[in-house]
Amino acid sequence: MGKLGVGIAVGCAVASCAIAAILVGRRVRSKRKWNRVVGVLREVEEGCETSVGRLRQVVDAMAVEMHAGLASEGGSKLKMLLTFVDALPDGSEKGTYYALDLGGTNFRVLRVHLGGISHGIVEQTVDRQPIPQNLMTGRSEELFDFIASSLKKFVESEGEDSDFTAGKSRELGFTFSFPVKQTSVSSGILIKWTKGFSIRDMVGKDVSECLQIAMAKIGLDMRVAALINDSVGTLAVGHYHDPDTVAAIIIGTGTNACYVERTDAIIKSQGLLTSSGGMVINMEWGNFWSSHLPRTSYDIELDAESPNPNDQGFEKMISGMYLGDIVRRVILKMLEEADLLEPASTKLTMPFILRTPMMAAMHEDESPNLREVSRIFEDVLEIPDVPLKFRRLVVKVCDTVTRRAARLAAAGIVGILKKIGRDGSGGVTGGKVRGNESNMKRTVITIEGGLYTSYGVFKEYLHEAVAEILGEDVAPYVILKVSEDGSGIGAALVAASHSQENSVNI
């Protein structure tokens, strides 16, 4: 071979080595990027860890905060509000009762006919109406005049009823889903408006009194027998169908809980007397906080950028309003860390663009190629052609965030059981478990809200965690039941249990 041939051969070898080096370098860099993506997932998984040991710490913290909130006003992040509901329906109620559900841009009116133990809920009629925008920011008198007028039309559309022919007042349960300081079972002072309402002259006024005045002006003979929120209504529905129901949980867009407490345990209201010896307490548990809660950097960022930083900490980790956005933040971090997908979608930087129902759809996608994950990325986030291996990681992120939420909600539930002595550790209303001998009482928790009722994996994780925390000796005594329409039927049932005709104790 001549010098020229040797030179060409050497040149080719050098070029081949250079190309090989470039390709290897790209593979190494690609692998490093992918490792960083996987590292983000691993970090989230570690940060969201909810071992049974940690959950039991949350249980203890919840019970302690409940005690503190009952001891003094402002003594705990949990408000532990008195509802003055000292009687819950048990199925024996008879008669016709009305319900008004006001909690957003629409309101509902219901008429429920109760037939007692043998017949239950015989009939119910519902009417839904939008609230004109101008009434949401006008004067309180205008809003309640409109509601009272709608109530009167609803009553008149039903025709005459034998229940009211003897001059008997119609009785109404009023679900008012805004912050209220309850002053009796049928009255409460509005603290502030939310959900787009801004009626300044209403703040500080008695909600029921405003409605009562409006009804009297148009000759509608109806008495507000109960003013409640949706968690109390959910408890009422549960207790109506099953007298062993002791607590109600709302797990939907937001979250809350209420339960039956012994009157003598409500230390901040010494001297409070009820005929039943008990009262429903509205916990406002969305504001619960403990150092034992597994908080990540994504939770901290979400909280800091929210309209209510350092508030509703528990709600921001377990409710439907926030889970999708936590997942969005993790996905965004993965893309930023690895530059995996180009061009990066500007939609992914928009808070709450990935709603929790979309997250649930991705999580529950069982197709081989994860078609639903791909569709949501393309249609909602405007990121096409997402690699399958990345889609698989996204499903794992959804699983991690959902599992943490469900298991923390379960710990909250067991925290309530611990406070009232129904967790197997002993207490005034419960019993201890020793070996195979048990004097545990059957305990029912009723749950309402789309996150629980419509998201199968969430529900499964919650049930699993409750059983793990309680242990195999106690878990069979605790039953979780789905409830429906606590804000509607529940309000009518509370009106029935506090009516002038019925006297049903907790």
Side-chain angles (χ1 to χ4, degrees), residues 201-459:
D201 74 314
M202 181 68 203
V203 176
K205 287 185 178 180
D206 187 318
V207 177
S208 297
E209 184 180 3
C210 290
L211 179 60
Q212 209 73 64
I213 291 171
M215 292 190 295
K217 276 166 53 176
I218 58 175
L220 177 58
D221 188 12
M222 185 176 283
R223 181 182 79 93
V224 179
L227 179 69
I228 65 169
N229 69 14
D230 54 356
S231 68
V232 177
T234 298
L235 179 57
V237 173
H239 197 272
Y240 180 81
H241 293 294
D242 192 326
D244 288 334
T245 304
V246 300
I249 316 296
I250 305 293
I251 312 178
T253 303
T255 185
N256 194 16
C258 69
Y259 73 105
V260 179
E261 182 59 271
R262 293 177 295 109
T263 309
D264 61 7
I266 309 172
I267 301 170
K268 63 184 177 184
S269 296
Q270 287 185 343
L272 180 69
L273 296 175
T274 63
S275 57
S276 66
M279 180 181 290
V280 176
I281 297 294
N282 169 22
M283 293 175 62
E284 291 295 332
W285 86 346
N287 206 38
F288 168 69
W289 184 252
S290 165
S291 60
H292 297 299
L293 292 174
R295 199 182 196 202
T296 69
S297 59
Y298 306 99
D299 301 299
I300 294 170
E301 290 170 4
L302 185 151
D303 179 57
E305 295 170 13
S306 71
N308 57 340
N310 300 314
D311 197 20
Q312 297 299 102
F314 197 48
E315 181 170 84
K316 287 171 181 172
M317 298 178 82
I318 71 173
S319 77
M321 178 73 187
Y322 300 101
L323 299 189
D325 201 59
I326 296 172
V327 169
R328 176 193 69 83
R329 291 169 184 272
V330 177
I331 295 172
L332 184 60
K333 175 67 173 177
M334 287 176 166
L335 300 182
E336 289 175 345
E337 191 68 29
D339 248 355
L340 186 65
L341 300 177
E342 294 289 351
S345 169
T346 54
K347 282 284 185 75
L348 196 58
T349 64
M350 296 172 58
F352 299 100
I353 187 68
L354 185 65
R355 296 183 297 107
T356 298
M358 297 174 189
M359 181 204 77
M362 292 195 297
H363 188 192
E364 297 182 325
D365 185 356
E366 296 181 350
S367 63
N369 295 321
L370 299 175
R371 287 190 302 273
E372 186 63 13
V373 178
S374 181
R375 185 194 67 77
I376 289 172
F377 263 78
E378 186 162 354
D379 295 351
V380 178
L381 304 177
E382 297 181 354
I383 304 176
D385 304 320
V386 180
L388 179 58
K389 65 177 183 178
F390 188 82
R391 278 178 264 158
R392 288 175 177 148
L393 286 192
V394 168
V395 173
K396 289 183 179 180
V397 172
C398 295
D399 185 72
T400 300
V401 172
T402 297
R403 188 172 187 270
R404 180 188 67 167
R407 289 173 69 81
L408 289 179
I413 290 171
V414 180
I416 297 173
L417 298 179
K418 185 178 182 68
K419 169 64 183 70
I420 61 176
R422 298 287 188 107
D423 69 329
S425 62
V428 175
T429 58
K432 295 183 179 180
V433 174
R434 295 185 182 90
N436 294 324
E437 296 180 4
S438 168
N439 62 342
M440 283 293 297
K441 293 182 179 180
R442 179 176 179 271
T443 299
V444 177
I445 310 292
T446 184
I447 307 178
E448 185 172 330
L451 191 62
Y452 177 79
T453 59
S454 303
Y455 192 175
V457 178
F458 182 96
K459 182 177 180 179

Side-chain angles (χ1 to χ4, degrees), residues 463-480:
H463 283 235
E464 177 184 79
V466 168
E468 283 181 23
I469 300 168
L470 290 173
E472 60 183 14
D473 289 329
V474 180
Y477 294 92
V478 176
I479 295 94
L480 306 180

Side-chain angles (χ1 to χ4, degrees), residues 93-109:
E93 297 79 13
K94 292 183 179 180
T96 300
Y97 298 88
Y98 290 81
L100 171 63
D101 176 16
L102 176 62
T105 55
N106 294 285
F107 73 94
R108 292 186 304 152
V109 183

